Amino acid sequence: MAPTTTAAASVRPITVDAGAVRLSGLLAAPPRRPPRAVLVALHGGGMRARYFHGEVEPGQSLLEHAAAHGYLAVALDRPGYGLSAGALPDGTGLAEQVRLVRAALTGLAGRHGTGAGFVLLGHSLGGKVALLVAAEDDRVRAVDVSGVGHRWAADPERTRDAGGFGAHRLHWGPLGLYPPGTFQFARDLAGPLPSREAADVPSWPCRFDALAGRIRVPVRFTFAEHERWWRHDEDTLRDMTARLSSPVVRVERLAGTGHNISLSRVARTYHARVLAFFDACLGASRETQDADQADGTGS
């Protein structure tokens, strides 16, 4: 489905200096400056930045929604995708992705006002990168992830190269969860995982256990009703949240969707909840800073 004139005018392609490489992506600017903050969205494995700019039905684009809400909204093609695929044909492991994404934040800050700082939104494998960046970078104010947990429900070693309906069910769930035209739109987005990225996939539970205590910003996890990659029973979620050192941890379930929430029929609902969470986190951060200054403890 062709994008509308409004969507084409409000979202534009960009390149971002990430040190050793340049990353491509999409940007939507708010109507007023400075922005409330910079929202950086990181796509999942085998996807692209356009995952966050759904154009199948009006109002589906996270980028347009976030910009209208006052954020400078940026969706990056993660290292090994888009512009950087030529320089990184095998992709990168998670540690190198974190280094390059942090460099991209610096590149964005050098070209744009950042308002209250950065908030990160990650889907699936991009959610892992977002959590790792949040654990290391004090410019990040909050992180919101979907399609990622801490304990596998499916065996990644057996399913990552699988084709056919089984793999489709894991990634998408029932076909009726997505608007007509979604899978045609997704043909331009979906592709194989770069080999170095794929090699890191099975190690995530151990990585999460090591990083959970280092995440000290608010974090929210969303699990789709038809999420099949990750366990999200109550006992598993209690174990996951107990490991985190975040001052605020929210875990939500979203009915009527599968793993790829931002392309589903409930994308607008999900994006509204993302922005409400970030608004609350930034408001709380502002109140804390004001209280510290009033007490004479601010820097």
Side-chain angles (χ1 to χ4, degrees):
M1 184 175 187
T4 65
T5 302
T6 301
S10 61
V11 177
R12 62 180 176 87
I14 60 166
T15 60
V16 180
D17 185 359
V21 298
R22 292 183 67 78
L23 304 181
S24 50
L26 298 171
L27 178 146
R32 297 180 182 177
R33 307 291 176 87
R36 179 172 301 188
V38 180
L39 187 159
V40 177
L42 302 171
H43 62 83
M47 285 289 183
R48 302 290 185 275
R50 282 184 66 213
Y51 172 82
F52 296 104
H53 183 42
E55 300 169 275
V56 173
E57 62 180 14
Q60 191 179 40
S61 169
L62 165 75
L63 298 179
E64 291 178 342
H65 193 166
H69 205 65
Y71 290 87
L72 179 69
V74 178
L76 293 176
D77 288 315
R78 289 191 292 103
Y81 295 86
L83 180 65
S84 68
L88 301 167
D90 299 322
T92 69
L94 284 173
E96 179 67 1
Q97 288 211 32
V98 170
R99 187 184 72 79
L100 292 172
V101 169
R102 292 185 66 191
L105 299 187
T106 300
L108 286 167
R111 295 171 56 184
H112 305 278
T114 59
F118 291 95
V119 292
L120 303 183
L121 172 64
H123 171 248
S124 196
L125 208 152
K128 301 175 188 179
V129 177
L131 290 167
L132 286 161
V133 172
E136 296 186 14
D137 200 310
D138 61 9
R139 294 172 295 181
V140 176
R141 301 291 180 246
V143 60
D144 192 304
V145 298
S146 69
V148 61
H150 82 310
R151 296 293 180 260
W152 292 106
D155 183 346
E157 291 281 15
R158 297 180 61 185
T159 58
R160 71 184 185 189
D161 298 322
F165 181 75
H168 193 282
R169 182 182 65 87
L170 287 166
H171 288 294
W172 297 93
L175 304 186
L177 301 176
Y178 301 89
T182 295
F183 300 107
Q184 182 177 356
F185 175 79
R187 282 187 191 136
D188 294 334
L189 304 181
L193 269 66
S195 59
R196 290 183 61 196
E197 180 170 295
D200 260 2
V201 166
S203 67
W204 177 248
C206 292
R207 287 179 180 267
F208 180 89
D209 292 347
L211 80 89
R214 298 189 290 115
I215 300 175
R216 302 189 182 278
V217 297
V219 60
R220 188 179 82 112
F221 293 80
T222 298
F223 291 93
E225 177 184 0
H226 298 278
E227 174 61 59
R228 298 291 182 253
W229 280 109
W230 301 100
R231 290 176 54 186
H232 50 99
D233 58 276
E234 293 299 329
D235 287 344
T236 299
L237 296 183
R238 276 193 293 271
D239 179 72
M240 182 184 76
T241 56
R243 295 169 185 270
L244 293 159
S245 295
S246 306
V248 175
V249 180
R250 293 187 186 172
V251 179
E252 299 183 15
R253 289 189 175 89
L254 189 60
T257 186
H259 182 73
N260 290 317
I261 298 176
S262 287
L263 297 179
S264 74
R265 293 182 185 274
V266 298
R268 283 174 288 183
T269 297
Y270 169 60
H271 297 155
R273 292 181 183 180
V274 169
L275 296 176
F277 174 68
F278 286 150
D279 286 352
C281 294
L282 295 174
S285 176
R286 181 71 264 172
E287 290 171 5
T288 298
Q289 291 175 21
D290 290 346
D292 287 346
Q293 291 172 358
D295 291 340
T297 57
S299 58

